[in-house]
Amino acid sequence: MGSLSKRAGVPNLMLTHLIPPMGAPRQGPYPLPEGGLTQADYESAVRDGGFEGNIVVGTDLAKLRLVKE
């Protein structure tokens, strides 16, 4: 995701519909280490792909307001 967003030149990236969800202790039958993934884990994965812009990790029912400049 990070490398594609970087190549596309987007300044902002919002991650939604995360699998596994943040903090989930397991994904299906598979236990996740250390109590599940955090917001920082998802941000780190995007940064590892080379994205340098703003990242919003959406939680359930997250809203993002877009304003016309």
Side-chain angles (χ1 to χ4, degrees):
M1 180 66 65
S3 61
L4 175 64
S5 301
K6 181 179 181 176
R7 288 193 313 267
V10 297
N12 303 296
L13 182 64
M14 183 172 188
L15 305 177
T16 62
H17 298 84
L18 303 172
I19 302 295
M22 283 191 294
R26 52 190 323 107
Q27 176 59 34
Y30 306 103
L32 298 173
E34 301 177 18
L37 299 174
T38 65
Q39 178 177 338
D41 293 325
Y42 282 102
E43 288 177 5
S44 177
V46 173
R47 297 269 182 235
D48 289 348
F51 186 71
E52 298 173 350
N54 299 315
I55 301 171
V56 175
V57 180
T59 57
D60 286 346
L61 303 175
K63 294 180 181 182
L64 179 67
R65 179 183 291 260
L66 301 175
V67 294
K68 184 177 178 181
E69 293 186 322

